[in-house]
């Protein structure tokens, strides 16, 4: 509402005059319509965020806003449930995730809370609940799939377990002998080739995209063939196809992970395609759960 208030106070005229611009009045129709939808959603959908900084919600401010944008285009309010990954275990996961219609695991660094995130991924994958993994969230999904679906016991990221027998997430070969890793992260906008026929392609609707990165560890290509045979597909790759940018499990209703940070490109009137489609899948899952929970009266 702030932009509308500023417009009523004459801010646009002041800026145009000061900068000596030659332009007409601003077109705020789309902004006003989007604002009206946000204020009057048709329903609510519950989505869990499982991370280790959930006690400080501003740590995930960009993700929160991206869910606001995606909720608007789906005509729902996204009710976020904050799940502390350090409290998630194989025994508690069902209770902590009960009632959610989607789970997002955001980015982060370090091994604290990792096993809780992996347990959460396992729960939603096995129960076919929509899942979205961003950066470290994608890496947790890869680790869980290696352990739970491919039977690779002890699979891990070399960031967390340098001596793991199955480093499904690892440094690039050219980085392994570097002692000073400063400045070696993949940062900023990077091109990504979306694979035709993938779920990712159906969401983006184009083959070449650009997304913002902030990470160092990558999917280990030594395991790529084994993962594909096990049912995980790679919906996004670097243009030279050497780096995995996106993963997906086609047999699940919505299971996608990305190495980049899509929340950073989401806007109020232009939600990011991945968040938009993820919320849509969560709404559909919730509706399906409601429909199946309604008791059918016995025939008379």
């Amino acid at each position: 509402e702030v932009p509308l208030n500023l417009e009523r106070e004459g801010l646009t005229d002041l800026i145009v005059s000061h900068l000596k611009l030659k332009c007409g009045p601003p077109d705020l129709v789309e902004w006003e319509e989007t604002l009206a939808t946000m204020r009057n959603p048709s329903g609510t959908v519950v989505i869990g965020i499982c991370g280790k900084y959930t006690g400080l919600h501003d740590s995930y401010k960009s993700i929160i806003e991206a869910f606001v944008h995606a909720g608007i285009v789906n005509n729902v309010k996204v009710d976020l449930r904050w799940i502390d990954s350090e409290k998630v275990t194989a025994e508690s996961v069902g209770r902590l995730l009960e009632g959610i219609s989607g789970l997002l695991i955001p980015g982060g660094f370090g091994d604290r809370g990792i096993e809780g995130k992996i347990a959460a991924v396992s729960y939603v994958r096995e129960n076919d609940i929509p899942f979205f993994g961003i950066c470290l969230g994608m890496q947790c999904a890869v680790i869980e799939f290696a352990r739970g679906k491919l039977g690779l016991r002890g699979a891990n990221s070399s960031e967390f377990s340098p001596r793991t027998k199955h480093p499904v997430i690892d440094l690039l070969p050219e980085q392994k002998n570097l002692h000073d890793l400063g400045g070696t992260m993949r940062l900023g906008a990077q091109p990504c080739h979306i694979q035709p026929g993938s779920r990712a392609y159906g969401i983006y609707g184009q083959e070449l995209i650009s997304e913002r990165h902030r990470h160092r560890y990558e999917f280990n290509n030594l395991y790529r063939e084994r993962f594909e045979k096990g049912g995980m597909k790679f919906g996004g790759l670097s243009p030279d196809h050497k780096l995995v940018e996106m993963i997906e499990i086609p047999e699940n209703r919505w299971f996608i992970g990305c190495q980049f940070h899509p929340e950073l490109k989401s806007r109020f009137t232009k939600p990011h395609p991945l968040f938009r489609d993820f919320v849509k899948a969560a709404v559909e899952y919730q509706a399906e759960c409601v429909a199946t929970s309604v008791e059918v009266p016995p025939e008379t």
Side-chain angles (χ1 to χ4, degrees), residues 19-247:
L19 298 178
K20 296 182 173 58
L21 300 176
K22 294 182 180 180
C23 62
D27 183 358
L28 296 176
V29 172
E30 184 181 18
W31 184 279
E32 292 176 330
E33 290 177 347
T34 304
L35 190 61
T37 302
M38 183 183 75
R39 289 172 169 170
N40 300 283
S42 62
T44 300
V45 65
V46 180
I47 291 178
I49 295 183
C50 182
K52 62 181 178 181
Y53 309 123
T54 53
L56 184 61
H57 296 177
D58 275 1
S59 299
Y60 305 113
K61 182 61 174 175
S62 296
I63 287 176
I64 294 172
E65 294 302 313
F67 273 126
V68 172
H69 309 157
I72 293 170
V73 76
N74 283 286
N75 199 21
V76 294
K77 178 183 182 299
V78 179
D79 183 6
L80 297 176
R81 180 187 297 178
W82 299 95
I83 302 164
D84 185 346
S85 59
E86 290 189 274
K87 296 181 179 179
V88 181
T89 63
E91 294 72 34
S92 68
V93 64
R95 172 177 56 82
L96 293 174
L97 271 59
E98 183 180 4
I100 66 169
S101 295
L103 177 72
L104 179 139
I105 295 184
F109 294 90
D111 61 355
R112 181 163 63 89
I114 289 297
E115 292 302 322
K117 294 176 183 179
I118 293 171
V121 175
S122 178
Y123 182 86
V124 296
R125 180 180 65 82
E126 293 177 353
N127 288 280
D128 201 12
I129 299 171
F131 169 77
F132 189 8
I134 294 177
C135 199
L136 181 60
M138 184 198 95
Q139 296 176 4
C140 288
V142 168
I143 295 169
E144 190 284 323
F145 193 85
R147 296 178 185 178
K149 193 70 183 290
L150 303 184
L152 302 179
R153 294 185 61 185
N156 214 325
S157 166
S158 60
E159 178 185 5
F160 314 134
S161 180
R163 297 183 180 180
T164 176
K165 184 179 178 180
H166 296 292
V168 291
I169 301 295
D170 201 4
L171 287 172
L172 295 175
E174 57 267 28
Q175 291 184 329
K176 289 188 175 182
N177 295 322
L178 295 178
H179 298 290
D180 183 7
L181 293 177
T184 61
M185 295 179 70
R186 291 181 67 201
L187 290 171
Q190 303 281 342
C192 173
H193 183 241
I194 304 297
Q195 304 304 292
S198 66
R199 188 187 298 270
Y201 186 85
I203 294 171
Y204 278 100
Q206 61 189 78
E207 288 191 35
L208 188 63
I209 63 169
S210 176
E211 295 284 3
R212 292 166 65 180
H213 292 63
R214 190 174 186 272
H215 64 96
R216 180 175 290 114
Y217 288 80
E218 306 278 355
F219 181 94
N220 188 339
N221 285 324
L222 294 177
Y223 292 87
R224 192 184 289 191
E225 183 177 354
R226 199 178 311 190
F227 270 72
E228 287 185 310
K229 288 182 178 179
M232 178 175 282
K233 304 302 179 185
F234 305 113
L237 301 169
S238 58
D240 60 9
H241 286 205
K242 291 183 179 180
L243 301 176
V244 171
E245 295 276 21
M246 298 184 71
I247 61 149

